[in-house]
């Protein structure tokens, strides 16, 4: 920008500011009230601090309202956005979204700049890039930080790691939202957000009483057949809708969020509805049915399968399981599940049109 243009704009800005100041001094009360309200809001936000949050590696104290938040947890950005803040950095998981913000959350950006996207290729968070963002809070709630990674990141800002009472990447979305709400000084608003989404689950369960009489499981044809355990957020979606998971599921899965099952345990899939997260609904569906052990199960023979394309927006929302993605997902998943368990084998489980 040429110097003269920049100078003219600066003069205009100063003139406008002087005019506002003079008008405020002359007119008085309305502007004074606005300023007082803004001060009250700021004081109210700051009154929530300091807050201390327990996690897998001890506890972390957030001394004041964070302004520059980096999310290392793969879905933590949605809770931050739902609470009215925009992170300066997010960590990519699904790919394909600017700022790592899914379509279910994009409107929460408003006119703000999209966050810088960081990557974790399996070696841990990009420490130097995180440091360059000058964070005053690092969130790793839906994540799997090691103790060394936590210690390193703590040199740059307070770090809220994954809670110790759940498996890594196993924190329920309700607790995730609550933890982040507390870290941002908005614990009450976080509770309201959770209640709102839980209300959607309750309404879906009430409208579909057959869910509570049905069993279900989430799986994907990854290196054979990979089944998600009860502590995985995807499985909790089914549980929250009223479905019962297979009895031996966690015995087979162990302490992980999911695991590949042996051919001898293909029976775990023989539920009233199995949700398959696949790369291609037609091709992967046909391939699964070529597996004689699976094809012989009633769930396959009776067409009680729900196929979800993993890289579509809908498929991404199924895996994301956040306070913002869940309403988007329920609009699409609930009709498919209802068709799968309606007791009529002639009913086809169709894919959402959008």
């Amino acid at each position: 920008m040429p110097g003269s243009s920049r100078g003219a704009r600066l003069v205009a800005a100063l003139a406008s500011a002087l005019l506002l100041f003079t008008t405020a001094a002359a007119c008085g009360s309305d502007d004074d009230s606005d300023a007082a309200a803004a001060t009250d809001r700021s004081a109210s936000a700051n009154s929530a601090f300091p807050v201390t949050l327990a996690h897998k590696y001890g506890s972390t104290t957030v001394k004041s309202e964070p302004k520059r938040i980096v999310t290392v947890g793969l879905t933590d950005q949605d809770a931050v956005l739902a609470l009215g803040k925009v992170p300066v950095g997010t960590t990519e998981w699904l790919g394909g979204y600017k700022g790592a913000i899914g379509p279910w959350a994009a409107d929460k950006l408003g006119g703000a700049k999209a966050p810088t996207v960081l990557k974790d290729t399996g070696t841990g968070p990009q420490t130097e890039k995180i440091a360059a963002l000058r964070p005053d809070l690092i969130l790793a709630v839906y994540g799997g930080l090691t103790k060394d990674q936590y210690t390193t990141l703590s040199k740059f800002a307070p770090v809220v790691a994954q809670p110790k009472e759940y498996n890594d990447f196993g924190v329920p979305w309700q607790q995730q939202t609550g933890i982040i709400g507390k870290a941002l000084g908005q614990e009450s608003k976080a509770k309201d957000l959770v209640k709102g989404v839980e209300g959607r689950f309750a309404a879906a369960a009430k409208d579909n009483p057959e869910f509570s009489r049905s069993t279900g499981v989430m799986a994907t044809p990854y290196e054979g057949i990979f089944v998600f355990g009860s502590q995985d957020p995807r499985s909790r979606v089914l549980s929250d809708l009223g479905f019962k998971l297979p009895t031996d599921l966690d015995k087979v899965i162990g302490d992980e969020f999911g695991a590949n099952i042996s051919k001898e345990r293909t029976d775990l899939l023989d539920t009233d509805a199995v949700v398959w997260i696949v790369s291609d609904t037609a091709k992967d569906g046909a391939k699964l049915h070529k597996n004689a052990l699976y094809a012989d199960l009633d769930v396959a023979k009776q067409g009680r399968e729900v196929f979800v394309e993993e890289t579509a927006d809908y498929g991404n929302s199924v895996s994301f399981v956040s306070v913002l993605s869940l309403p988007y997902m329920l609009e699409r998943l609930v009709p498919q599940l209802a068709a799968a368990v309606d007791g009529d084998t002639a009913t086809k489980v169709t894919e959402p049109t959008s």
Side-chain angles (χ1 to χ4, degrees), residues 167-221:
N167 294 343
D168 289 355
F169 302 101
V171 60
W173 65 271
Q174 296 98 322
Q175 280 71 21
Q176 175 194 36
T177 305
I179 291 167
I180 293 173
K182 185 176 181 180
L184 301 188
Q186 299 189 53
E187 196 168 5
S188 178
K189 184 176 180 180
K191 289 179 180 178
D192 289 340
L193 288 169
V194 169
K195 286 180 182 178
V197 178
E198 286 182 335
R200 291 175 181 255
F201 273 94
K206 183 179 179 180
D207 292 342
N208 298 277
E210 63 275 12
F211 288 176
S212 65
R213 299 189 290 268
S214 302
T215 55
V217 69
M218 288 254 188
T220 185

Side-chain angles (χ1 to χ4, degrees), residues 120-171:
D120 183 345
T121 59
T123 57
Q126 292 179 297
T127 305
E128 292 182 1
K129 290 186 177 181
I130 291 173
L133 291 172
R134 297 178 290 106
D136 53 17
L137 178 65
I138 299 172
L139 295 170
V141 183
Y142 180 72
L145 283 185
T146 65
K147 181 62 182 296
D148 287 345
Q149 290 166 352
Y150 167 77
T151 300
T152 299
L153 290 177
S154 296
K155 295 175 182 177
F156 310 116
V159 179
V160 181
Q162 65 268 32
K164 63 180 179 180
E165 58 266 40
Y166 302 103
N167 294 343
D168 289 355
F169 302 101
V171 60

